[in-house]
Amino acid sequence: MIGDESERDPAALAVARVGRLEATGSPWEPYRVIDPTGEVIGPVGEFLKELQASGRSEATQRSYGHDLLRWFRFLWAVQVPWDQATRVEARDFCRWVQTGSKPASVRWKQSDALPAVSGGKYAPTTAAHGESVLRAFYDFHVDTGAGPMVNPFPLVRERRRKRLAAHHNPMLPHRNERVGLYRPKLVDRSPRCIPDEKFNELFAGLGSHRDRALVAFFVSTGARASELLGVRCGDVDAGSQLITVIRKGSRATQQLPASPDAFVWLRLYQAQFHGQIQTRRDDPLWQTLRRPFRPLTYHAARAMFIRVNSILGTDYSIHDLRHTAAYRMARDPDMPLADVQWILGHAQLSTTQIYTSAPVEETIATILAHHARRAATPSAPAAITPEYRSESMDVLFPGASR
């Protein structure tokens, strides 16, 4: 129970950006969370090992590690050990994440005289994801007996003892009924599509054949960034216009058809660096443009996209290319929606159906055109009531005076 003894003010709380998430390069322990003294946080390491044993990818472990580091920074600020955290700390942490600002960053300070720069607000999706991660973290330690006896991140009271999907309608898609008590509600947003004219400007602003090939594959296959950046040289079948990716969730290999232009730009990229980079079957297909050549990471690809956005004055992301490809395929009347679902790798057809409606920009343009047509059309004259024929009136009202 939450008592009145808690007088903590999250608005006045100073959470320092201490500790870090460290990449080890080891397949046995890809990431570990380090405390301010440089020591590895053991409970987090045990939880990440559990994730790895459950088949979670390195990207998932990295994402969970960031959420856990945020929680431990909060605990260090309030001076509460992780295994003594109660529902009070969980409540105040969720209030701080949803309402407060990110810890000030000193990464880009030029001197000690300059103030630290605040990172702005946390996104609602960040707060929701963090609540789910911390609830799973404490569930694991409650089960093993290494943590507190009660999970400080509880479920909603009326759903705590329900059997999952006990009264589920089989005609409707499954949803997660076990919602955390402190999980914020998220607003469903329509996927953002890049209009054709903006995409042409963006593509023209790319500075290398590699970037043009990469964007062309993104927008023609609808692959996720991690899937396409993980392609090896032996995964390309230019003769059949196919490229093989490893799916993010299932980790299954799948061949995806791509446009002929994508393979043309890929060939130009390979010809430009012929003899300079390794092109064996197991070598990465996408590499950096400068020596020493290294596999292209997501952050480097994102930096390329940010540079183009800064030139055009736009704010599109790499994931918007996947949405653009999905809209183009789903709105093609000659392409079955089930095929689009297979290409995008969606588990539920209902997820693919969101792309059948018009993009937001197109819908707005259509409504504005409607208003313009209404304004340009002259008002029709008032209808004149027709008179009845006299012989008809005589039949209806014989002998009546009119």
Side-chain angles (χ1 to χ4, degrees):
M1 295 297 292
I2 298 179
D4 297 333
E5 69 277 8
S6 176
E7 299 179 356
R8 185 182 302 122
D9 183 10
L13 187 64
V15 179
R17 186 170 287 189
V18 294
R20 67 186 185 276
L21 179 69
E22 183 178 81
T24 64
S26 170
W28 299 101
E29 188 183 20
Y31 295 96
R32 56 188 180 184
V33 179
I34 309 297
D35 66 10
T37 65
E39 297 293 330
V40 178
I41 303 178
V44 174
E46 294 299 318
F47 180 63
L48 295 181
K49 291 177 183 177
E50 187 78 4
L51 292 178
Q52 187 182 50
S54 302
R56 302 299 191 272
S57 65
E58 292 186 8
T60 299
Q61 297 177 54
R62 179 179 180 272
S63 174
Y64 280 35
H66 279 299
D67 290 318
L68 290 165
L69 177 60
R70 189 180 305 114
W71 166 245
F72 272 83
R73 284 172 174 169
F74 177 85
L75 292 178
W76 294 329
V78 299
Q79 299 181 355
V80 175
W82 75 273
D83 54 351
Q84 297 180 20
T86 65
R87 187 165 156 181
V88 175
E89 283 72 41
R91 178 201 63 188
D92 291 344
F93 171 76
C94 292
R95 291 173 61 203
W96 171 72
V97 171
Q98 297 178 43
T99 309
S101 300
K102 297 180 181 179
S105 175
V106 296
R107 180 180 302 175
W108 304 111
K109 288 180 62 177
Q110 300 297 325
S111 67
D112 294 336
L114 295 178
V117 179
S118 176
K121 302 286 187 179
Y122 286 107
T125 53
T126 301
H129 186 267
E131 190 275 340
S132 300
V133 170
L134 293 174
R135 183 153 36 85
F137 170 74
Y138 277 100
D139 276 343
F140 166 70
H141 285 291
V142 167
D143 292 342
T144 60
M149 297 181 63
V150 179
N151 193 329
F153 292 87
L155 296 170
V156 175
R157 183 180 301 274
E158 60 269 16
R159 298 179 179 178
R160 203 173 302 168
R161 297 181 178 87
K162 287 177 59 177
R163 182 170 59 86
L164 186 62
H167 303 285
H168 176 256
N169 185 347
M171 300 301 293
L172 298 176
H174 281 273
R175 294 184 178 180
N176 184 15
E177 297 184 2
R178 292 176 177 170
V179 181
L181 180 62
Y182 300 132
R183 181 182 178 88
K185 294 182 179 180
L186 301 179
V187 178
D188 293 333
R189 296 182 299 175
S190 299
R192 190 168 62 163
C193 172
I194 304 177
D196 290 343
E197 61 277 6
K198 287 293 184 181
F199 175 80
N200 294 335
E201 295 178 8
L202 186 147
F203 194 85
L206 298 173
S208 67
H209 294 322
R210 183 208 63 185
D211 297 344
R212 298 184 190 100
L214 191 61
V215 171
F217 274 106
F218 272 129
V219 83
S220 62
T221 63
R224 300 176 181 89
S226 60
E227 297 171 350
L228 191 57
L229 292 175
V231 171
R232 304 288 174 173
C233 293
D235 296 331
V236 179
D237 186 358
S240 302
Q241 289 185 213
L242 297 174
I243 188 168
T244 303
V245 301
I246 299 178
R247 282 304 184 185
K248 179 182 177 182
S250 63
R251 311 304 299 171
T253 59
Q254 180 176 338
Q255 288 184 320
L256 298 178
S259 65
D261 292 344
F263 288 97
V264 172
W265 290 114
L266 176 61
R267 188 68 188 98
L268 291 174
Y269 158 58
Q270 291 175 329
Q272 181 182 3
F273 290 91
H274 179 70
Q276 301 182 49
I277 60 178
Q278 297 291 335
T279 57
R280 294 167 297 189
R281 290 188 57 85
D282 293 334
D283 289 324
L285 179 63
W286 312 107
Q287 301 199 36
T288 57
L289 300 177
R290 295 179 179 86
R291 297 179 183 272
F293 298 114
R294 302 179 302 277
L296 185 67
T297 63
Y298 171 79
H299 299 287
R302 181 174 177 268
M304 170 269 295
F305 221 66
I306 291 177
R307 286 193 297 269
V308 178
N309 277 319
S310 62
I311 296 175
L312 299 179
T314 55
D315 61 343
Y316 296 114
S317 66
I318 292 180
H319 199 69
D320 291 337
L321 295 172
R322 173 174 165 86
H323 294 322
T324 303
Y327 271 117
R328 290 180 177 181
M329 291 184 287
R331 303 197 71 205
D332 185 349
D334 296 329
M335 190 166 187
L337 193 61
D339 293 350
V340 182
Q341 177 193 7
W342 179 83
I343 292 174
L344 297 177
H346 289 159
Q348 300 290 338
L349 186 62
S350 57
T351 307
T352 314
Q353 288 176 337
I354 63 178
Y355 297 102
T356 57
S357 58
V360 175
E361 296 83 0
E362 186 176 331
T363 303
I364 293 175
T366 303
I367 296 175
L368 291 176
H370 161 73
H371 292 316
R373 290 192 300 269
R374 291 276 300 177
T377 303
S379 300
I384 301 176
T385 304
E387 295 183 357
Y388 288 99
R389 296 172 59 182
S390 58
E391 55 269 25
S392 299
M393 298 297 292
D394 291 338
V395 173
L396 292 173
F397 307 100
S401 59
R402 295 183 297 276

